[in-house]
Amino acid sequence: MAGGVKRFAVFGDPIAHSLSPRIHAAFSQQTNIPLRYSAIHAPAATFENQLADFDGAGANITLPLKSLVVPICAELSDFARRIGAVNTLSRRLDDHWRGDNTDGPGLIQDLVRRHNVNLYGRRVLMLGAGGAARAAAFALLETDIDSLVITNRTPDRAVALADALADPERVMTDTFADFRNEHAFDVVIDATSAGHTGGRHKLPLHLIAPTTVCYHLSYGKAAQHFIAFAREAGAKRVFDGLGMLVEQAAEAFNIWNGVRPETDAIYAELRAEAPLDATD
Ligand code: NDP
């Protein structure tokens, strides 16, 4: 704590372009809760030492550290334990770290509250089986979706995720080859990092109907290809993960400060700088 002001940070690699310091500064101003929040470049090899040297009250953890931080936590929320990934650390009174994961609730808040997507009875297709996909899948199963089909470049990881979800009535895996037998989904969620490396999916067009909602967890350039593809396929509504970023931050702010900030103003500000229409 510096001068009575609590300190927070986001650790990750790369981290230079993180929007988290700006989002938390906006929450601090709005709630009148003073804090300092910085971005700390933390490669996996040095992260544990950097965290040990950090004297803050809490931290966000991002790529590639979300699983690495799990064994450092003396206490985990049930959700973080099930996912095996932590994106929010809170320092407890006896100086140990508690780990939470706010990515899943952030996605649901953005889909349901901001975008008014009705998940009741929906057939959902999810691309990816990495850390963000795990958080999304566990959170989606806490809603009243009808079913979740998971597909991944490495099919074994999709099967492992389906096993971990332990809901065989609602969860299935498919390979791209199986898709010829599937009809259109109500919601398609891209939780891959393919957009960061220029990778492109060749999702069959018949999986997207004029009623389908498409959502990419990434935002900015990494979501561009999927957004263009979904629009071309005729999806009803297409979203990126900017709102999820803001909502997961609000969940973390609430864990640390006991107040959930209003998120629409900072979302509108960030969206104005990165309009979805500009991505196609
Ligand atoms: P991981 O590295 O844990 O997982 C990456 C996933 O993408 C894996 O399923 C991987 O498949 C798949 N993948 C990578 N490259 C390709 C490709 N070329 N073609 C097909 N599939 C590919 O990353 P995360 O799960 O942590 O992050 C995924 C995305 O979600 C990132 O873009 C990240 O920015 C975003 N995200 C957004 C958040 C938000 O708040 N909006 C929060 C968290 C993440 P395989 O298993 O075969 O390697």
Side-chain angles (χ1 to χ4, degrees):
M1 218 188 285
V5 176
K6 281 193 203 165
R7 190 172 168 218
F8 299 90
V10 55
F11 290 79
D13 178 24
I15 204 67
H17 299 293
S18 173
L19 293 171
S20 295
R22 188 168 157 194
I23 294 170
H24 281 277
F27 291 162
S28 163
Q29 197 176 26
Q30 179 211 126
T31 57
N32 279 320
I33 296 174
L35 56 83
R36 286 199 303 141
Y37 188 112
S38 55
I40 297 178
H41 178 235
T46 55
F47 167 61
E48 196 165 345
N49 286 339
Q50 289 177 276
L51 185 66
D53 290 342
F54 176 66
D55 65 354
N60 284 129
I61 306 298
T62 188
L63 273 171
L65 309 169
K66 289 182 186 182
S67 305
L68 283 178
V69 75
V70 170
I72 299 172
C73 297
E75 192 187 330
L76 287 172
S77 69
D78 185 44
F79 194 62
R81 183 179 303 103
R82 280 188 285 152
I83 295 165
V86 161
N87 78 335
T88 303
L89 290 177
S90 314
R91 194 186 292 281
R92 299 308 232 190
L93 285 178
D94 60 356
D95 233 23
H96 72 249
W97 290 114
R98 174 189 160 89
D100 283 272
N101 191 307
T102 65
D103 284 335
L107 169 67
I108 303 301
Q109 281 286 325
D110 190 46
L111 264 176
V112 175
R113 190 195 63 80
R114 172 166 295 108
H115 299 305
N116 288 315
V117 174
N118 178 5
L119 292 173
Y120 175 75
R122 299 297 189 241
R123 288 180 70 241
V124 181
L125 169 65
M126 191 174 70
L127 314 176
R134 285 180 75 87
F138 275 98
L140 283 163
L141 288 180
E142 287 183 358
T143 72
D144 40 21
I145 61 166
D146 171 75
S147 57
L148 176 66
V149 174
I150 304 168
T151 189
N152 191 47
R153 179 176 63 178
T154 309
D156 287 355
R157 290 187 80 194
V159 172
L161 173 53
D163 288 347
L165 291 163
D167 190 347
E169 301 249 310
R170 288 196 296 168
V171 179
M172 285 137 274
T173 61
D174 258 357
T175 63
F176 271 52
D178 299 325
F179 281 146
R180 72 179 82 93
N181 304 317
E182 289 280 6
H183 56 94
F185 287 87
D186 300 311
V187 180
V188 175
I189 295 180
D190 189 334
T192 72
S193 56
H196 289 290
T197 51
R200 295 180 167 220
H201 295 296
K202 291 181 183 67
L203 201 60
L205 290 176
H206 75 270
L207 298 183
I208 295 178
T211 49
T212 304
V213 172
C214 290
Y215 191 106
H216 200 306
L217 261 53
S218 300
Y219 43 88
K221 216 166 179 296
Q224 278 183 9
H225 172 69
F226 178 78
I227 285 170
F229 161 80
R231 286 187 173 152
E232 205 178 294
K236 183 184 177 195
R237 300 171 78 201
V238 185
F239 305 111
D240 68 2
L242 186 65
M244 172 179 170
L245 178 77
V246 172
E247 296 303 327
Q248 63 77 28
E251 297 285 330
F253 190 94
N254 191 13
I255 289 169
W256 295 328
N257 300 298
V259 179
R260 195 181 197 284
E262 187 279 323
T263 54
D264 289 346
I266 183 67
Y267 174 75
E269 193 181 308
L270 296 172
R271 176 54 77 209
E273 291 169 20
L276 260 184
D277 285 343
T279 60
D280 49 11

